Structures are given as structure tokens and as C-alpha cells.
Amino acid sequence: SGLGKGVAQRLANLGCTLVLWDVDGDNNARVAEELNQETKSKRIHAMKCDLTNRESIYECAKKVQDTVGNVTMVINNAGVVSGKPLVECSDASIQRTFDVNVLAHFWILKAFLPSMLDNNHGHVVTIASAAGLTGTARLVDYCSSKFAAVGLHEALTHELYALKKTGVKTTVVCPSFINTGMFEGVKTDVLFPLIKSDDICDKIIEAVRKDRHMLLVPKILRAVLFLRSITSTTAQVEMQSLSGVDDSMSTFVGRAQKST
């Protein structure tokens, strides 16, 4: 759903063969069927996969290779958010955040990266977040997981260069809040407006096709990174508080909570 569905739709219309993973098997199968009908093809496949379970990931990876052969692009897009102060996050919630937002990336890459390395051809796309560049109140677990995702992207990029695998590209996407429902109820402002899902999906496809290393949306995030490099932590905390960013999650509802 959301970002994943939007990106899949665009790739399907570009003629790509896709394998969609989601823990919601019914909705995933429905999306795959819609895309097959839209493209008048049978190139889009759906598989139910629990990204919190390493063995489930490896089993699905084997099915993918048996179904479509070697994978030439991996888009790690799945994400979860609790939106609570750290001390209010349950142990299970924190574990799930890291299982989905970070550790699943490792298991997926271990499954599909070897063939990319063998052929010196492929693309790894990491959908991270602006929360992987700067911390925010009520997002301690989420920010930590996204910082890890950005770090994985950076380190993997260096490792591929060291291995002389220049044909394997990497792209990391760091958007602020998107109107997919995942951050339902979040406060936004003119500096960090709620991003339209269609807009970010278009930008992701463009970034991948141009082999861009990093996509920051909105562009003001570039200034945020620059200011982080030249100001003290005290100044950063004050600026973020004054900008209202640290209050953005105070009205958070979220997709799961809203549905109940």
C-alpha cells in the first residue's frame, strides 16, 4: 500500500518484472492482480512475507529466484512507527521497529546481493527517512532505525566501491512526512509540509533511473544537514524546538491506531 504500491505501479508501467512482498497477503495479491490487469501482463507476482522473521525472508527469497530468476533491483520500503516517547514503547514494539526497518534489510541483501555481485549489475534502493538524518521527539526508536538504514546504505556503497563492483548502484531516499496514512495526525508546517505520495513516488523513480546516491525531500533537508555540521548540539536542539519539529508527533494517530 502507500509508497510501495505507488512505486510498484510506476515500475510495472516501465515494463519491469516485479515481486511484491507484504505481510498482508490478501491486499498484496490484489495489488499484483490490479497491476497485471493495468499492464496487460503476468509480470507482477505477490508473495506473503513476514519481515520480522529471518527464515520467512530467506524462504521467500528462494521462491523469488525459482519464480523469476536473479533479482537485479531490491527496494527496501517496508516500515513501521510507534510514535511514542521511548519509555512508553514496549520491548516488543522496539524489537519490531528494528526487525522491519533495519534487520530485514540485511537478510534481504544477503539473499539477493550475491547474484548482483557475480554479475556486477544491480541496484539497491533504501527507503529511509529524514528521521534518519536528525533526531525527533517521540520518534527515538524510529529515528534510530532509520539512522541505521542510512548507515547501511553508506557503508554498503563504500564496500561495493572497494570490491570494484561499480555496476551495482545504491540509492537512499530520505523524505519527511508523507500522506500515506502511516503518519496520520502528524503536525506539519511550511518548512516541512506533508509530502504527496504521488510526488515522492515520481521522485524515487527519477532518482533510481539517474543512479542518484541520495534523494532528500523536501530540499530544505540539505540546509538541515549543513547546519548540523557547523552548529553545536545545544543550538540544534533550540532550533528544532523553535521550529516546532519536536512537537510534530504530539497529535500523531497513525494508520493502525486510527483503524481501531
Side-chain angles (χ1 to χ4, degrees), residues 133-205:
L133 305 173
T134 183
T136 304
R138 293 176 180 262
L139 285 175
V140 173
D141 56 338
Y142 184 78
C143 286
S144 300
S145 69
K146 291 300 184 177
F147 264 85
V150 172
L152 167 60
H153 158 79
E154 291 289 342
L156 179 62
T157 300
H158 285 285
E159 184 161 285
L160 292 170
Y161 183 82
L163 293 172
K164 296 181 170 43
K165 300 298 181 179
T166 55
V168 182
K169 309 299 183 181
T170 58
T171 298
V172 66
V173 181
C174 296
S176 58
F177 301 121
I178 307 172
N179 68 346
T180 58
M182 182 175 177
F183 282 95
E184 183 73 28
V186 70
K187 290 182 181 179
T188 57
D189 54 33
V190 293
L191 291 178
F192 296 99
L194 198 63
I195 301 171
K196 294 181 180 179
S197 180
D198 282 343
D199 290 345
I200 189 64
C201 287
D202 288 339
K203 291 180 185 297
I204 290 172
I205 297 301

Side-chain angles (χ1 to χ4, degrees), residues 8-233:
Q9 183 177 40
R10 286 157 177 78
L11 290 174
N13 286 321
L14 287 171
C16 297
T17 296
L18 304 177
V19 182
L20 313 180
W21 283 7
D22 200 299
V23 72
D24 183 348
D26 292 339
N27 184 62
N28 198 35
R30 183 166 58 252
V31 170
E33 180 58 30
E34 288 175 1
L35 294 181
N36 276 324
Q37 291 179 2
E38 185 177 324
T39 57
K40 295 181 174 57
S41 72
K42 295 182 179 180
R43 293 180 285 101
I44 293 83
H45 309 269
M47 293 184 183
K48 182 176 181 178
C49 187
D50 180 0
L51 295 181
T52 67
N53 186 314
R54 182 176 58 201
E55 294 308 316
S56 175
I57 291 173
Y58 287 154
E59 287 174 9
C60 286
K62 178 64 168 56
K63 291 178 182 177
V64 170
Q65 290 165 333
D66 291 342
T67 302
V68 301
N70 289 336
V71 168
T72 55
M73 181 180 295
V74 166
I75 302 179
N76 282 317
N77 170 72
V80 294
V81 61
S82 62
K84 299 177 181 178
L86 177 59
V87 295
E88 294 181 16
C89 293
S90 68
D91 294 354
S93 173
I94 293 172
Q95 184 69 59
R96 180 170 178 263
T97 294
F98 277 83
D99 282 340
V100 174
N101 295 3
V102 183
L103 292 178
H105 292 214
F106 282 88
W107 316 141
I108 290 169
L109 288 175
K110 287 193 69 178
F112 295 120
L113 192 58
S115 64
M116 295 186 192
L117 296 177
D118 288 343
N119 297 301
N120 193 22
H121 175 71
H123 204 135
V124 177
V125 183
T126 303
I127 308 298
S129 170
L133 305 173
T134 183
T136 304
R138 293 176 180 262
L139 285 175
V140 173
D141 56 338
Y142 184 78
C143 286
S144 300
S145 69
K146 291 300 184 177
F147 264 85
V150 172
L152 167 60
H153 158 79
E154 291 289 342
L156 179 62
T157 300
H158 285 285
E159 184 161 285
L160 292 170
Y161 183 82
L163 293 172
K164 296 181 170 43
K165 300 298 181 179
T166 55
V168 182
K169 309 299 183 181
T170 58
T171 298
V172 66
V173 181
C174 296
S176 58
F177 301 121
I178 307 172
N179 68 346
T180 58
M182 182 175 177
F183 282 95
E184 183 73 28
V186 70
K187 290 182 181 179
T188 57
D189 54 33
V190 293
L191 291 178
F192 296 99
L194 198 63
I195 301 171
K196 294 181 180 179
S197 180
D198 282 343
D199 290 345
I200 189 64
C201 287
D202 288 339
K203 291 180 185 297
I204 290 172
I205 297 301
E206 180 185 16
V208 170
R209 299 186 78 181
K210 292 183 176 180
D211 294 334
R212 288 184 58 181
H213 177 67
M214 176 176 278
L215 173 63
L216 302 177
V217 183
K219 292 182 179 180
I220 195 173
L221 288 173
R222 299 175 185 175
V224 172
L225 289 180
F226 175 72
L227 289 173
R228 277 175 53 85
S229 68
I230 63 171
T231 58
S232 66
T233 300

